[in-house]
Amino acid sequence: MAADGRFAPSPTGTLHLGNLRTALLAWLFARSAGARFLVRMEDLDPGRVRMDSAREQLEDLAAIGLDWDGDVLWQSARAEAYEAAIARLRAEDRVYECFCTRAEIRAASSAPHGPLPEGHYPGTCLRLTDGERRRKRAGGRPPALRLRASAERVQFSDRLLGRYQMAVDDFVVRRNDGAAAYNLAVMVDDAAQGIGEVVRGADLLDSTPRQVLLTRLLRLPEPSWAHVPLVLGRDGARLAKRHGSVTLREVDAGVAVRWMARSLGLERASTAAEMLEAFDPARLPREPTTFTGV
């Protein structure tokens, strides 16, 4: 599969320097392989999406020197594709209705969880009888749909982190508002766009086994993976706006790009194009970067 890459932000606010550095890395991985680089807007949460945020995010990507191929893909226009994927899973008896509230899940998942990660879904609604399901539907709460994963252990290889495996819980593929859930939408779209390598922040590593399992169940092309180190604040937490001047609203784009170059060990570069000339994924720092200012 080609090494075509992508950056897929949610248009709900301003991108900070950590987000932009991850976008830069995704661009560097793709362009250094002579591949396409695509941008997708993950706008499936209408209550939080802001069109002005989407415009600002695209402007910020261009401001740090990134270009992309073709039009931006909007997930809100892809409902038919997601429903087709859910129909395939339903036809193979891989999904079931879930009526649980978040509070109920938190309470139930505090019990011993065996091979599953902490906070997993405990399978409460999997064990409902037909009569119990009818009563819950009659109660008026619309159900979500969960994948019947059965604690399957999923293993994959990450270019930077090596082999990784985890047992997968029964996760949501369609929310109770009818919208596709993140894990399903992202893999359907990556396959449709021909993404060959997913480059993203290491904070998303634990969601990858779910996505790999979905890809295999739907018989979609499976991309390779590269989870890149995060940018942290002085307190050791993932960089956020509370850490001060961390967006292009406060920091000049050129200054920000030079900081990114230094953080990637490319001190002589002052533009994205110059970084591309010297970029070698094998020499990428493996540890998180602490942001102390530019």
Side-chain angles (χ1 to χ4, degrees):
M1 190 180 229
D4 291 348
R6 49 83 164 169
F7 181 62
S10 297
T12 57
T14 302
L15 297 174
H16 59 61
L17 297 185
N19 304 137
L20 291 171
R21 182 177 179 267
T22 298
L24 170 65
L25 281 166
W27 181 86
L28 288 169
F29 270 78
R31 294 304 195 209
S32 66
R36 297 183 307 152
F37 178 70
L38 308 177
V39 173
R40 181 168 72 229
M41 285 290 169
E42 298 188 341
D43 62 332
L44 290 179
D45 192 345
R48 299 180 61 225
V49 167
R50 301 288 181 267
M51 288 303 298
D52 56 342
S53 292
R55 287 191 294 271
E56 180 185 79
Q57 290 178 355
L58 295 174
E59 290 169 359
D60 285 357
L61 294 177
I64 65 169
L66 307 191
D67 63 339
W68 52 91
D69 298 284
D71 295 331
V72 174
L73 182 72
W74 295 79
Q75 286 191 329
S76 55
R78 300 271 297 151
E80 188 173 328
Y82 306 144
E83 281 303 308
I86 290 169
R88 290 181 64 181
L89 295 171
R90 194 193 294 273
E92 297 180 9
D93 195 29
R94 293 302 302 236
V95 296
Y96 62 92
E97 293 179 334
C98 175
F99 299 87
C100 295
T101 65
R102 291 183 181 180
E104 289 168 341
I105 294 170
R106 281 195 300 271
S109 63
S110 63
H113 44 265
L116 288 167
E118 186 174 351
H120 74 288
Y121 179 68
T124 307
C125 287
L126 177 63
R127 298 183 287 271
L128 293 178
T129 65
D130 289 343
E132 288 171 329
R133 286 193 184 89
R134 284 194 296 272
R135 285 193 291 276
K136 285 185 176 292
R137 290 191 202 106
R141 178 176 171 80
L145 282 182
R146 288 187 179 272
L147 183 78
R148 193 190 308 269
S150 304
E152 182 171 340
R153 272 200 103 68
V154 173
Q155 182 172 259
F156 65 95
S157 182
D158 184 279
R159 194 206 281 228
L160 301 179
L161 303 177
R163 301 296 294 177
Y164 185 86
Q165 65 173 330
M166 191 174 78
V168 177
D169 68 340
D170 290 3
F171 60 95
V172 172
V173 293
R174 187 171 69 194
R175 305 187 318 229
N176 70 353
D177 63 0
Y182 164 75
N183 285 304
L184 181 123
V186 70
M187 296 317 298
V188 170
D189 288 341
D190 281 347
Q193 291 189 286
I195 302 303
E197 183 167 43
V198 175
V199 178
R200 59 187 185 181
D203 56 323
L204 293 173
L205 180 65
D206 285 350
S207 69
T208 307
R210 292 175 168 184
Q211 294 163 18
V212 170
L213 178 58
L214 269 178
T215 297
R216 294 171 183 172
L217 290 175
L218 292 168
R219 294 177 286 282
L220 299 173
E222 191 170 329
S224 58
W225 306 88
H227 288 84
V228 300
L230 298 177
V231 178
L232 309 178
R234 292 176 187 267
D235 58 358
R238 185 174 59 180
L239 190 70
K241 294 173 191 175
R242 69 176 183 276
H243 289 115
S245 298
V246 296
T247 78
L248 296 190
R249 311 288 78 72
E250 303 93 25
V251 180
D252 175 77
V255 173
V257 169
R258 288 191 290 275
W259 171 80
M260 292 180 206
R262 292 194 302 273
S263 77
L264 297 175
L266 301 170
E267 291 85 354
R268 296 184 180 181
S270 59
T271 66
E274 290 175 0
M275 279 188 263
L276 181 57
E277 292 178 4
F279 182 68
D280 179 356
R283 298 174 63 186
L284 185 69
R286 298 298 200 266
E287 297 300 319
T289 294
T290 299
F291 180 76
T292 58
V294 293

